[in-house]
Each structure stands twice: as C-alpha cells, then as structure tokens.
Amino acid sequence: MKELLLLAVGSAIVNNVVLSQFLGICPFLGVSKKTETAAGMGGAVIFVITISSFITALIYKFILTPLDIQYLKTIVYILVIAALVQFVEMFLKKSMPALYQSLGVYLPLITTNCAVLGVCLTNVTKEFGILESVINGFATAVGFFIAIVIMAGLREKIEYNDIPKTFQGTAIVLITACLMSIAFMGFSGMI
Amino acid sequence: MNKNVERLYNGIIKENPTFVLMLGMCPTLAVTSSAINGLGMGLSTTVVLILSNLLISAFRKVIPNGVRMPAYIVIVASLVTVVQFIMEAYTPSLSASLGVYIPLIVVNCIILGRAESYASKNPIVPSIFDGIGMGLGFTVGLTSIGLVREFLGAGQLFGFQVLSLDWFTPITIFVMAPGAFLVLAFLVAGMNIIRKKMEAKGKPLPAPSGCLTGDCASCGQSAMCTGKKPESAKTE
C-alpha cells in the first residue's frame, strides 16, 4: 500500500508529466486559455489515460507476453488507444450525456496526445503490474490536470499584465511554464 | 531536380519545423539537454520521416481515403519500432538517454503532418526530398537548442569541456527541465522579432502551426479527430 501511495505521489507531483517529462505539451499550451476549458481537458485526460493504462496493461499481460510479441507494443498500443478513444466517445454520447457534454469535445483531441502513449509505454519499461499501471496512469493524469489548471489560472491573470511586445503570446506562457517547473522541482525532495 | 532542391531549402530554412513552424515541441523540449541527444533524436526522426514519406507516397493511390490515418499510423509505428531496435543494438547509450521519446516519434506531429500535407499528394522522389529537408531542419533545430543548453548549463559542446570549470560556474538550470522552457521562450521571442522584420521587408514567414498556437486547423492530426475546437465548442 505504501509503495502504491509513493508511486502515485511520485507520478503526479514529483515527476510531473508536463513540467518535468514534457509529455502533452500541445494541450498544455494550446488549451490553457481559460480555467474552465483547461479543467475539461484535464478531466478528459484523466479519463482516457486511466482507461488506456488498464487496457494496455491487460493486452500486454494476456496477449503480447503469451505470444512473445512484446516488440509490437508501440504499434498495438497506438491503435488500441485510437480505437479506445472512439469507443469511449460513442459510449459517453449514448449513455452519459451529461459527462459527454463536459468532456466529449476534448476526447478526440487526445487520441494522439503523446502523454497517453508515453504513460502506457513507461508502464511496460518499469515492469508495472496491472494495478500499478492503473495507479501510475491515473496519478500521471492527475499531474497533468494540476499543471494545466494552474497554467490556465495564471494565464487569465497574465492577460491584464503589461508584457513587452516581443514576449506576448506563446513566449510569456513558456516563461510561466519555466517558473512553474522550477516550483515543481521543489517537490523532488519529497520522496 | 530543381524541385527537389527547393524541397530541401523549404524544409531546412523556409519552413524549418523547429524555428518557423514550431512543430514537435515535446521532443524539442525533452531531449535537448545536450547537443548529442538533440542530434540523435533529430537523425532518428529524419530516418523515420524519409521512409514514411517514401512508403506513404508509394501507397497513396492504394490507401482508401477513409482509413488513411490508421494506415499512416501503422506505417509510421512499424518504422519507429525498426529504428528503435537498430538504435538499441548499435547506439545503446544514446538509446538509453532518449528512452521513451524514441517510440514517441510515432505521435510527433511533423511525421503525420508531412504525410497528410505532402506525401499523400505528391510523387515518390519529391516526397523523399521533402522528408530529408524537414528531417534535417528538425535536426538542425534540436542540435542548436542542445548546443545552447549544454554550453550554458555545463560549459560543454558535444560533451567536450569548452569553458574551464576553474572560473566558470555552470548555470545548471539550463540542462534541467525549467531550462528547456526558458530557452524555448527566448527562441519564440527572437522569432517574433525576425517575423516582424521580414514582414516589414515584405517577405512574411509562414505562420507557426500546430501545438503552440492551439489551432486545430494546422495540426497534423486534425484529420484524426472530429475537428471540434474546444474554444469554439464552448461558445456554440
């Protein structure tokens, strides 16, 4: 239990997926203009990464390993994730319209988000079991949620600041990300 | 032949994926802590890009339009797997330091972007040259960012100690995660100045596309998603 908790804190905060591993930079910079949209994106990412960590861990254990074709994991994973996102979208649309309203628009954007594939491949590299994979996936996605929501909050304030013309737009966002990354480095002493 | 040279010039300078189009930001930030890593990542992406452009251009009349994205992804993922194994066998230390970012070449927006916007519409030879140009442009971008970060952060160039540690205190933050964001921020700001100058001269640069702008239309993967922009979906 203690190991799992440490794993979760480590993936969510200490090795933050965006700020120290640079996965999922695109939505982090692209969809972080408003806190509301950022939270929607973060929620969708939590949903997709948790489910796809679970499914890919099952596939790895019960299909790829018995057949001894682990080397096909990149190909299998990307196809499984793409198909999974489509299914999740259809399923939510039919059976949970309320959730679909808040997360649905972001789901297709996540298909080729490198964070999803990155987490699933890391689960294999670190030789995680199924439970550990799901926890690692969930925690990593929570880390993404934290980072993108904080970034959106900061960007809403930055709007009102007097920024040198050259740095307006993406440049100031990247500088903000740099400062956030320094702050998150402070967590590295925790574990 | 002229067209092929034009493709090379287009990829390396005019539409340089790192400096001008600002594509593939995840690897750009992640692996540029040293020039060698940047070079290795750039070259492996180049190999995948050339081969994927070649195959996709060769099969462009065979692949049905409706399933082209899954087909491209299978082609790219297979190539990436091959490249990954070759690197594990012949350059194990580079492969270890690039880690998960090698398989993640599959989702690099440059590759699917070029497949969608160039290789699927053009004959084989220009597509190969387009791959070489774009790949080398990406390599140049990653290597030069790597050089800057390595020089400031460790006083080294390609692993050789250039600035003596007797008087130079390395600014270690540059080889760590925050340094990546900082260097990229100044790069974007610098490009803003160059953009403005070129516009004043009447020769505007192509606009940055993909990730950094948050614009779905210019994203290489836009054909895969149903094309609903989050911002516009909110206002509907």
Side-chain angles (χ1 to χ4, degrees):
Chain A
M1 194 63 217
K2 200 181 157 203
E3 282 91 52
L4 291 180
L5 196 67
L6 282 180
L7 171 69
V9 174
S11 315
I13 297 176
V14 180
N15 291 314
N16 189 283
V17 62
V18 180
L19 298 170
S20 81
Q21 295 184 59
F22 308 110
L23 297 176
I25 295 286
C26 302
F28 178 69
L29 298 174
V31 199
S32 60
K33 284 199 185 90
K34 284 187 213 139
T35 326
E36 209 181 303
T37 20
M41 186 72 190
V45 167
I46 293 180
F47 201 75
V48 169
I49 292 192
T50 313
I51 295 178
S52 49
S53 308
F54 179 59
I55 303 279
T56 51
L58 283 182
I59 288 177
Y60 191 77
K61 186 149 183 223
F62 295 110
I63 299 179
L64 298 186
T65 313
L67 294 176
D68 221 10
I69 47 169
Q70 290 98 327
Y71 57 88
L72 288 179
K73 62 178 185 292
T74 312
I75 306 173
V76 173
Y77 281 15
I78 185 83
L79 290 176
V80 166
I81 293 168
L84 189 74
V85 174
Q86 300 279 329
F87 277 127
V88 168
E89 197 194 359
M90 281 188 243
F91 175 74
L92 286 184
K93 204 174 189 175
K94 263 276 184 258
S95 55
M96 297 181 211
L99 192 61
Y100 181 75
Q101 275 297 313
S102 54
L103 301 184
V105 282
Y106 309 101
L107 286 175
L109 297 174
I110 306 171
T111 317
T112 46
N113 181 343
C114 47
V116 185
L117 185 61
V119 171
C120 296
L121 290 171
T122 315
N123 287 341
V124 174
T125 324
K126 292 197 176 162
E127 292 171 358
F128 285 156
I130 292 175
L131 179 65
E132 287 157 316
S133 298
V134 174
I135 291 180
N136 183 41
F138 177 73
T140 309
V142 169
F144 178 84
F145 183 89
I146 297 173
I148 196 170
V149 170
I150 295 179
M151 175 52 108
L154 290 171
R155 275 181 83 167
E156 282 181 358
K157 298 285 173 216
I158 288 174
E159 290 279 297
Y160 303 108
N161 290 1
D162 189 18
I163 298 158
K165 212 156 194 186
T166 325
F167 277 89
Q168 277 173 9
T170 313
I172 192 70
V173 177
L174 285 166
I175 289 193
T176 317
C178 166
L179 296 176
M180 277 172 70
S181 173
I182 293 175
F184 270 73
M185 271 169 68
F187 289 118
S188 58
M190 262 171 58
I191 292 183
Chain B
M1 201 59 217
N2 216 355
K3 198 180 176 192
N4 299 337
V5 177
E6 184 266 324
R7 278 289 101 198
L8 290 181
Y9 171 76
N10 183 61
I12 300 173
I13 295 165
K14 201 171 145 222
E15 287 189 10
N16 185 299
T18 308
F19 296 137
V20 182
L21 295 183
M22 307 251 166
L23 290 172
M25 280 301 131
C26 295
T28 306
L29 288 164
V31 301
T32 51
S33 54
S34 71
I36 293 282
N37 283 357
L39 188 65
M41 185 70 197
L43 289 180
S44 38
T45 311
T46 308
V47 171
V48 175
L49 190 54
I50 294 169
L51 294 175
S52 75
N53 267 8
L54 166 71
L55 287 177
I56 288 167
S57 172
F59 290 127
R60 70 184 186 283
K61 283 170 190 154
V62 188
I63 299 173
N65 200 36
V67 293
R68 66 185 194 287
M69 272 293 153
Y72 296 167
I73 286 189
V74 173
I75 291 174
V76 176
S78 318
L79 292 170
V80 168
T81 308
V82 172
V83 168
Q84 188 185 356
F85 283 136
I86 293 175
M87 286 179 77
E88 264 171 32
Y90 293 101
T91 54
S93 62
L94 183 64
S95 167
S97 63
L98 295 181
V100 77
Y101 297 101
I102 300 174
L104 286 180
I105 295 175
V106 182
V107 284
N108 188 329
C109 36
I110 299 176
I111 308 228
L112 281 183
R114 289 329 283 176
E116 176 74 0
S117 67
Y118 197 84
S120 61
K121 294 177 193 124
N122 288 283
I124 296 179
V125 176
S127 295
I128 294 176
F129 277 92
D130 184 71
I132 299 175
M134 278 287 160
L136 288 183
F138 190 57
T139 310
V140 168
L142 290 196
T143 312
S144 43
I145 294 175
L147 279 173
V148 171
R149 286 182 64 189
E150 199 183 350
F151 184 71
L152 293 172
Q156 299 176 338
L157 289 178
F158 286 105
F160 294 107
Q161 199 69 41
V162 184
L163 300 179
S164 165
L165 292 178
D166 297 336
W167 55 271
F168 175 72
T169 313
I171 316 166
T172 324
I173 200 96
F174 275 100
V175 289
M176 290 151 86
F181 287 113
L182 194 63
V183 169
L184 193 66
F186 278 92
L187 179 69
V188 172
M191 284 311 294
N192 281 346
I193 298 175
I194 295 176
R195 252 171 230 290
K196 202 158 274 171
K197 286 213 171 123
M198 293 299 276
E199 238 161 69
K201 269 194 206 165
K203 285 186 279 182
L205 293 176
S209 58
C211 324
L212 289 192
T213 52
D215 178 11
C216 278
S218 54
C219 169
Q221 277 120 36
S222 58
M224 276 205 65
C225 80
T226 42
K228 281 175 269 183
K229 269 194 191 174
E231 307 290 341
S232 61
K234 276 283 158 204
T235 55
E236 267 169 19

